[in-house]
Amino acid sequence: MASIFSHMKNVYLSMSPPIPAPSENDHEPLRMGILGAANIAPNAVIVPSKSSTGLEVTSVAARDSKRAEEFAKSHGIAKVYGSYDALLKADDVDVVYNPLPNGLHLKWTTEAVMNGKDVLCEKPLASNAQQAREMFAVAREHNRVVLEAFHYRFHPSLHEFAYHLRKALTPENPLVGVKASMMVPGGFIKDSDIRFSYPLAGGALMDCGVYPISTVLYAVRVAGEGARAGSNFDFATWSSGIEVVNADSVLFSTSDKKVLEAKAYLNARGEPGIDEATSARLLVPVPGSPARQKVPCEISASLKTYRDTKIPLLGWRVPKLSLPTVEATLKDGTKVELVNYIAPSIYHCITVTSPSGQQQQYKAYTPSPNSSTDLGVTAAVDGKWEPTVGKPWWTTYRYMVEAFDLGVQAFKRGTAPMFVAPPSSADDAKNRKGGWAPVWMDNRESEVVMECVDKIYEKTGLGKRI
């Protein structure tokens, strides 16, 4: 019973975190401006920053000035700018969070970079892979930090999953399959939502499908050799070897007359262009595999998930709740599974199932001692946290905010943006004169995720977003 109350307390603290004591940092907190009064912003940066001594949300700008004022008042944000441009040109803004619709990520992230701001950009990074490459090219040209907000990558539960996966692997018992899903219950998202807008680069694969894509890529990197964030691993060549064997989409459908009249779900040819669900099977090369092994990976994503049965007589469809899950299978049948990789601070479970069916379960609400072992360091392809970092109530977003702050600070002290990821060796650390972030998602992998999205959409016949 005590553990239940303790867990409930942690969930409460994640939503209403304690204000930290005055900072002992050697720098003033980064002042963050938010582009748009987006619904995701409170969970992603506003609440997490309240318990941070390194970053604070100080301003917001929105197209609707009244909405911006209300948003700022509701969330205790001190300053409202009358336009995105004004916020990006402001001297009292150090970094920018871009949670705008997918189709606007490229424009406003590059505008921020060209105005000397470092950017935390929501996933998916852009409408397509070419836009992602263009975004990072501009960031390199202007020497700024851009991080894609794949928040789950920063939580210790994923690093613990990687540890147990790596522990089970041997040359004779390799990884032979990965499955990952992200299924949103039906009715949770309105049909009028921008997620179903083709001009804004919407769709299930774009919104929730990038999670399972990035998760299977992570698992395969853990099983390989040398594919660490910030290393000299050739992500482009790796990506070129990824094959989409098959892919299927369920087209968006609605009975909402206003949505039908608006026709936002239609592509430029006037044809349905939005998927409400997509599944795909990929073959992903194992980095460093001498036999050039490719692992079959299955991804499933839906913005409208319902049970097969309906309520008798009424005929109503029943929403289906399923937790985002990733499962890795080895040659001997061993399975390593992480349930609820998206919101592990609320609940998660890592299960290792032996070929005989015996199960061992693990959890990591804070960094596990396993992460500091040699095996844990090897498994941590995006880096790891020291055991002293974090609290049991820290969400994925809170860990992400911590990493973003540390990455930007490392850059300000002299580390080049491309080297703010943790070093893979002592020699590699020499490139990081200003230090590094303990955990980081490599820009080049963000490009690989978008390249997979493009390939899957092309395979379904819907075509990549434009």
Side-chain angles (χ1 to χ4, degrees), residues 240-261:
S240 67
I242 298 175
E243 304 173 50
V244 178
V245 179
N246 53 57
D248 296 290
S249 289
V250 176
L251 292 176
F252 170 75
S253 62
T254 182
S255 58
D256 188 316
K257 291 184 178 180
K258 291 184 178 180
V259 174
L260 290 169
E261 290 172 359

PDB file of all heavy atoms in Angstrom, residues 240-261:
ATOM      1  N   SER A 240      20.556   4.252 -45.874  1.00  0.00           N
ATOM      2  CA  SER A 240      20.357   3.809 -47.260  1.00  0.00           C
ATOM      3  C   SER A 240      20.112   2.311 -47.348  1.00  0.00           C
ATOM      4  O   SER A 240      19.524   1.820 -48.321  1.00  0.00           O
ATOM      5  CB  SER A 240      21.564   4.195 -48.116  1.00  0.00           C
ATOM      6  OG  SER A 240      22.720   3.458 -47.722  1.00  0.00           O
ATOM      7  N   GLY A 241      20.541   1.571 -46.307  1.00  0.00           N
ATOM      8  CA  GLY A 241      20.328   0.126 -46.300  1.00  0.00           C
ATOM      9  C   GLY A 241      19.018  -0.310 -45.685  1.00  0.00           C
ATOM     10  O   GLY A 241      18.683  -1.508 -45.697  1.00  0.00           O
ATOM     11  N   ILE A 242      18.244   0.636 -45.140  1.00  0.00           N
ATOM     12  CA  ILE A 242      16.949   0.292 -44.538  1.00  0.00           C
ATOM     13  C   ILE A 242      15.907   0.078 -45.639  1.00  0.00           C
ATOM     14  O   ILE A 242      15.707   0.947 -46.484  1.00  0.00           O
ATOM     15  CB  ILE A 242      16.483   1.387 -43.561  1.00  0.00           C
ATOM     16  CG1 ILE A 242      17.476   1.516 -42.402  1.00  0.00           C
ATOM     17  CG2 ILE A 242      15.085   1.074 -43.022  1.00  0.00           C
ATOM     18  CD1 ILE A 242      17.173   2.661 -41.443  1.00  0.00           C
ATOM     19  N   GLU A 243      15.263  -1.073 -45.625  1.00  0.00           N
ATOM     20  CA  GLU A 243      14.252  -1.405 -46.623  1.00  0.00           C
ATOM     21  C   GLU A 243      12.865  -1.431 -45.988  1.00  0.00           C
ATOM     22  O   GLU A 243      12.702  -1.888 -44.858  1.00  0.00           O
ATOM     23  CB  GLU A 243      14.525  -2.782 -47.233  1.00  0.00           C
ATOM     24  CG  GLU A 243      15.890  -2.973 -47.852  1.00  0.00           C
ATOM     25  CD  GLU A 243      16.106  -4.408 -48.277  1.00  0.00           C
ATOM     26  OE1 GLU A 243      15.215  -4.963 -48.979  1.00  0.00           O
ATOM     27  OE2 GLU A 243      17.146  -4.995 -47.901  1.00  0.00           O
ATOM     28  N   VAL A 244      11.884  -0.957 -46.719  1.00  0.00           N
ATOM     29  CA  VAL A 244      10.494  -1.105 -46.305  1.00  0.00           C
ATOM     30  C   VAL A 244       9.904  -2.248 -47.122  1.00  0.00           C
ATOM     31  O   VAL A 244       9.684  -2.113 -48.333  1.00  0.00           O
ATOM     32  CB  VAL A 244       9.696   0.195 -46.514  1.00  0.00           C
ATOM     33  CG1 VAL A 244       8.232  -0.019 -46.117  1.00  0.00           C
ATOM     34  CG2 VAL A 244      10.300   1.325 -45.696  1.00  0.00           C
ATOM     35  N   VAL A 245       9.662  -3.372 -46.485  1.00  0.00           N
ATOM     36  CA  VAL A 245       9.169  -4.568 -47.176  1.00  0.00           C
ATOM     37  C   VAL A 245       7.716  -4.395 -47.572  1.00  0.00           C
ATOM     38  O   VAL A 245       7.314  -4.660 -48.711  1.00  0.00           O
ATOM     39  CB  VAL A 245       9.347  -5.815 -46.292  1.00  0.00           C
ATOM     40  CG1 VAL A 245       8.818  -7.059 -47.000  1.00  0.00           C
ATOM     41  CG2 VAL A 245      10.806  -5.986 -45.902  1.00  0.00           C
ATOM     42  N   ASN A 246       6.917  -3.953 -46.624  1.00  0.00           N
ATOM     43  CA  ASN A 246       5.512  -3.668 -46.922  1.00  0.00           C
ATOM     44  C   ASN A 246       4.996  -2.617 -45.960  1.00  0.00           C
ATOM     45  O   ASN A 246       5.564  -2.415 -44.876  1.00  0.00           O
ATOM     46  CB  ASN A 246       4.645  -4.934 -46.874  1.00  0.00           C
ATOM     47  CG  ASN A 246       4.813  -5.704 -45.571  1.00  0.00           C
ATOM     48  OD1 ASN A 246       4.594  -5.162 -44.489  1.00  0.00           O
ATOM     49  ND2 ASN A 246       5.211  -6.969 -45.656  1.00  0.00           N
ATOM     50  N   ALA A 247       3.944  -1.945 -46.361  1.00  0.00           N
ATOM     51  CA  ALA A 247       3.334  -0.901 -45.534  1.00  0.00           C
ATOM     52  C   ALA A 247       1.881  -0.731 -45.945  1.00  0.00           C
ATOM     53  O   ALA A 247       1.553  -0.786 -47.139  1.00  0.00           O
ATOM     54  CB  ALA A 247       4.085   0.421 -45.681  1.00  0.00           C
ATOM     55  N   ASP A 248       1.022  -0.543 -44.961  1.00  0.00           N
ATOM     56  CA  ASP A 248      -0.407  -0.364 -45.217  1.00  0.00           C
ATOM     57  C   ASP A 248      -0.941   0.773 -44.365  1.00  0.00           C
ATOM     58  O   ASP A 248      -0.532   0.938 -43.210  1.00  0.00           O
ATOM     59  CB  ASP A 248      -1.185  -1.641 -44.895  1.00  0.00           C
ATOM     60  CG  ASP A 248      -0.797  -2.800 -45.797  1.00  0.00           C
ATOM     61  OD1 ASP A 248      -1.132  -2.739 -46.999  1.00  0.00           O
ATOM     62  OD2 ASP A 248      -0.160  -3.748 -45.302  1.00  0.00           O
ATOM     63  N   SER A 249      -1.856   1.531 -44.937  1.00  0.00           N
ATOM     64  CA  SER A 249      -2.483   2.642 -44.209  1.00  0.00           C
ATOM     65  C   SER A 249      -3.996   2.525 -44.253  1.00  0.00           C
ATOM     66  O   SER A 249      -4.570   2.031 -45.230  1.00  0.00           O
ATOM     67  CB  SER A 249      -2.071   3.993 -44.816  1.00  0.00           C
ATOM     68  OG  SER A 249      -0.717   4.281 -44.551  1.00  0.00           O
ATOM     69  N   VAL A 250      -4.623   2.975 -43.182  1.00  0.00           N
ATOM     70  CA  VAL A 250      -6.075   3.156 -43.151  1.00  0.00           C
ATOM     71  C   VAL A 250      -6.321   4.639 -43.361  1.00  0.00           C
ATOM     72  O   VAL A 250      -5.831   5.473 -42.597  1.00  0.00           O
ATOM     73  CB  VAL A 250      -6.667   2.705 -41.802  1.00  0.00           C
ATOM     74  CG1 VAL A 250      -8.166   3.003 -41.760  1.00  0.00           C
ATOM     75  CG2 VAL A 250      -6.385   1.235 -41.556  1.00  0.00           C
ATOM     76  N   LEU A 251      -7.067   4.974 -44.410  1.00  0.00           N
ATOM     77  CA  LEU A 251      -7.304   6.380 -44.717  1.00  0.00           C
ATOM     78  C   LEU A 251      -8.213   7.032 -43.683  1.00  0.00           C
ATOM     79  O   LEU A 251      -9.130   6.395 -43.138  1.00  0.00           O
ATOM     80  CB  LEU A 251      -7.928   6.521 -46.107  1.00  0.00           C
ATOM     81  CG  LEU A 251      -7.029   6.166 -47.294  1.00  0.00           C
ATOM     82  CD1 LEU A 251      -7.821   6.265 -48.596  1.00  0.00           C
ATOM     83  CD2 LEU A 251      -5.814   7.079 -47.341  1.00  0.00           C
ATOM     84  N   PHE A 252      -7.949   8.290 -43.419  1.00  0.00           N
ATOM     85  CA  PHE A 252      -8.769   9.083 -42.509  1.00  0.00           C
ATOM     86  C   PHE A 252     -10.201   9.147 -43.020  1.00  0.00           C
ATOM     87  O   PHE A 252     -10.456   9.378 -44.207  1.00  0.00           O
ATOM     88  CB  PHE A 252      -8.192  10.497 -42.408  1.00  0.00           C
ATOM     89  CG  PHE A 252      -9.061  11.486 -41.691  1.00  0.00           C
ATOM     90  CD1 PHE A 252      -9.188  11.458 -40.314  1.00  0.00           C
ATOM     91  CD2 PHE A 252      -9.768  12.449 -42.399  1.00  0.00           C
ATOM     92  CE1 PHE A 252      -9.992  12.378 -39.647  1.00  0.00           C
ATOM     93  CE2 PHE A 252     -10.567  13.371 -41.750  1.00  0.00           C
ATOM     94  CZ  PHE A 252     -10.682  13.344 -40.361  1.00  0.00           C
ATOM     95  N   SER A 253     -11.159   8.940 -42.121  1.00  0.00           N
ATOM     96  CA  SER A 253     -12.573   9.056 -42.468  1.00  0.00           C
ATOM     97  C   SER A 253     -13.282   9.832 -41.372  1.00  0.00           C
ATOM     98  O   SER A 253     -12.869   9.806 -40.206  1.00  0.00           O
ATOM     99  CB  SER A 253     -13.212   7.676 -42.636  1.00  0.00           C
ATOM    100  OG  SER A 253     -13.164   6.949 -41.419  1.00  0.00           O
ATOM    101  N   THR A 254     -14.326  10.535 -41.742  1.00  0.00           N
ATOM    102  CA  THR A 254     -15.054  11.351 -40.777  1.00  0.00           C
ATOM    103  C   THR A 254     -16.489  11.568 -41.235  1.00  0.00           C
ATOM    104  O   THR A 254     -16.783  11.506 -42.427  1.00  0.00           O
ATOM    105  CB  THR A 254     -14.372  12.724 -40.592  1.00  0.00           C
ATOM    106  OG1 THR A 254     -15.079  13.482 -39.599  1.00  0.00           O
ATOM    107  CG2 THR A 254     -14.344  13.507 -41.894  1.00  0.00           C
ATOM    108  N   SER A 255     -17.354  11.799 -40.277  1.00  0.00           N
ATOM    109  CA  SER A 255     -18.743  12.165 -40.580  1.00  0.00           C
ATOM    110  C   SER A 255     -18.999  13.615 -40.204  1.00  0.00           C
ATOM    111  O   SER A 255     -20.127  14.109 -40.338  1.00  0.00           O
ATOM    112  CB  SER A 255     -19.713  11.246 -39.811  1.00  0.00           C
ATOM    113  OG  SER A 255     -19.469  11.336 -38.413  1.00  0.00           O
ATOM    114  N   ASP A 256     -17.959  14.315 -39.766  1.00  0.00           N
ATOM    115  CA  ASP A 256     -18.068  15.719 -39.377  1.00  0.00           C
ATOM    116  C   ASP A 256     -18.200  16.580 -40.636  1.00  0.00           C
ATOM    117  O   ASP A 256     -17.269  16.670 -41.444  1.00  0.00           O
ATOM    118  CB  ASP A 256     -16.817  16.120 -38.575  1.00  0.00           C
ATOM    119  CG  ASP A 256     -16.922  17.506 -37.956  1.00  0.00           C
ATOM    120  OD1 ASP A 256     -17.372  18.433 -38.659  1.00  0.00           O
ATOM    121  OD2 ASP A 256     -16.523  17.662 -36.791  1.00  0.00           O
ATOM    122  N   LYS A 257     -19.326  17.215 -40.804  1.00  0.00           N
ATOM    123  CA  LYS A 257     -19.590  17.981 -42.017  1.00  0.00           C
ATOM    124  C   LYS A 257     -18.604  19.132 -42.210  1.00  0.00           C
ATOM    125  O   LYS A 257     -18.178  19.413 -43.334  1.00  0.00           O
ATOM    126  CB  LYS A 257     -21.027  18.527 -41.978  1.00  0.00           C
ATOM    127  CG  LYS A 257     -22.097  17.447 -42.118  1.00  0.00           C
ATOM    128  CD  LYS A 257     -23.488  18.056 -42.161  1.00  0.00           C
ATOM    129  CE  LYS A 257     -24.551  16.974 -42.343  1.00  0.00           C
ATOM    130  NZ  LYS A 257     -25.923  17.544 -42.389  1.00  0.00           N
ATOM    131  N   LYS A 258     -18.236  19.795 -41.118  1.00  0.00           N
ATOM    132  CA  LYS A 258     -17.293  20.903 -41.225  1.00  0.00           C
ATOM    133  C   LYS A 258     -15.922  20.426 -41.698  1.00  0.00           C
ATOM    134  O   LYS A 258     -15.260  21.089 -42.490  1.00  0.00           O
ATOM    135  CB  LYS A 258     -17.164  21.629 -39.880  1.00  0.00           C
ATOM    136  CG  LYS A 258     -18.408  22.409 -39.473  1.00  0.00           C
ATOM    137  CD  LYS A 258     -18.168  23.179 -38.178  1.00  0.00           C
ATOM    138  CE  LYS A 258     -19.404  24.000 -37.803  1.00  0.00           C
ATOM    139  NZ  LYS A 258     -19.193  24.749 -36.538  1.00  0.00           N
ATOM    140  N   VAL A 259     -15.516  19.272 -41.214  1.00  0.00           N
ATOM    141  CA  VAL A 259     -14.232  18.711 -41.634  1.00  0.00           C
ATOM    142  C   VAL A 259     -14.290  18.314 -43.099  1.00  0.00           C
ATOM    143  O   VAL A 259     -13.348  18.555 -43.863  1.00  0.00           O
ATOM    144  CB  VAL A 259     -13.861  17.500 -40.754  1.00  0.00           C
ATOM    145  CG1 VAL A 259     -12.588  16.824 -41.272  1.00  0.00           C
ATOM    146  CG2 VAL A 259     -13.665  17.932 -39.300  1.00  0.00           C
ATOM    147  N   LEU A 260     -15.399  17.722 -43.503  1.00  0.00           N
ATOM    148  CA  LEU A 260     -15.566  17.324 -44.905  1.00  0.00           C
ATOM    149  C   LEU A 260     -15.554  18.544 -45.824  1.00  0.00           C
ATOM    150  O   LEU A 260     -14.960  18.518 -46.906  1.00  0.00           O
ATOM    151  CB  LEU A 260     -16.865  16.541 -45.072  1.00  0.00           C
ATOM    152  CG  LEU A 260     -16.898  15.143 -44.447  1.00  0.00           C
ATOM    153  CD1 LEU A 260     -18.316  14.582 -44.445  1.00  0.00           C
ATOM    154  CD2 LEU A 260     -15.957  14.207 -45.191  1.00  0.00           C
ATOM    155  N   GLU A 261     -16.192  19.610 -45.387  1.00  0.00           N
ATOM    156  CA  GLU A 261     -16.243  20.830 -46.194  1.00  0.00           C
ATOM    157  C   GLU A 261     -14.878  21.517 -46.261  1.00  0.00           C
ATOM    158  O   GLU A 261     -14.507  22.081 -47.295  1.00  0.00           O
ATOM    159  CB  GLU A 261     -17.282  21.794 -45.613  1.00  0.00           C
ATOM    160  CG  GLU A 261     -18.724  21.316 -45.788  1.00  0.00           C
ATOM    161  CD  GLU A 261     -19.718  22.187 -45.026  1.00  0.00           C
ATOM    162  OE1 GLU A 261     -19.273  23.145 -44.351  1.00  0.00           O
ATOM    163  OE2 GLU A 261     -20.929  21.901 -45.092  1.00  0.00           O
TER     164      GLU A 261
END
